[in-house]
Amino acid sequence: MTNDENATHRCDLLCPVAHLMRAVPFVDPESTLRTAAQAMVAQGDGVAVVLGPEGPARIVTEHDIVCALAQQADPNTVWVADVAPSNLISAELTATILDVIRQMACEHVRHIAVKANGEVVGVVVAEDIVDLPGGSSISTRAT
């Protein structure tokens, strides 16, 4: 691991959301809950982007999967499309952290897809937004 991968960036609410973005797995809507969970574990994250006929269409989270399992869903037969919320909430790569915080609050979500040139390039997770405002430290993630 290089020093750049361990670097801490001094950031504030006006920094681009790209500073917080995570790379996450992409799964097909017909993927089973087990397959999606395995993809999340392999990536080391609790979120995956669900593909649709025209590209990324939804986000599925570990919370969505746990809720389905609590309702007796079979992880080997239930599809991700059956448990993922039906809309993809997204922000542009150039949006600020403040823009994304506001969007999360308005949409009542904890995960927002990040797009560059119309393509999903990552996800911002509410838990990554810490110690803001006031010039907080945010650990950069290698993507």
Side-chain angles (χ1 to χ4, degrees):
M1 200 173 267
T2 67
N3 286 340
D4 289 344
E5 291 171 343
N6 291 323
T8 298
H9 172 74
R10 297 299 289 175
C11 202
D12 62 27
L13 293 172
L14 299 180
C15 283
V17 73
H19 293 198
L20 296 180
M21 183 180 72
R22 297 179 179 198
V24 296
F26 289 78
V27 296
D28 292 320
E30 295 86 15
S31 295
T32 64
L33 299 183
R34 181 176 308 283
T35 300
Q38 289 170 335
M40 290 177 195
V41 168
Q43 185 79 24
D45 227 324
V47 61
V49 175
V50 182
L51 298 170
E54 298 177 16
R58 306 174 185 195
I59 290 177
V60 65
T61 67
E62 59 193 355
H63 178 76
D64 298 324
I65 294 172
V66 168
C67 287
L69 295 176
Q71 296 174 7
Q72 305 303 314
D74 182 345
N76 296 313
T77 60
V78 174
W79 290 353
V80 169
D82 295 330
V83 303
S86 61
N87 57 337
L88 180 71
I89 309 296
S90 65
E92 288 299 316
L93 187 64
T94 56
T96 66
I97 294 169
L98 181 59
D99 293 334
V100 171
I101 291 170
R102 287 179 176 152
Q103 189 174 6
M104 284 179 168
C106 288
E107 299 284 351
H108 304 286
V109 296
R110 296 179 304 136
H111 304 84
I112 291 188
V114 179
K115 291 185 175 183
N117 301 317
E119 298 289 324
V120 173
V121 294
V123 171
V124 173
V125 179
E127 67 193 38
D128 291 337
I129 302 172
V130 294
D131 288 336
L132 296 172
S136 62
S137 297
I138 299 172
S139 295
T140 57
R141 293 179 172 263
T143 56

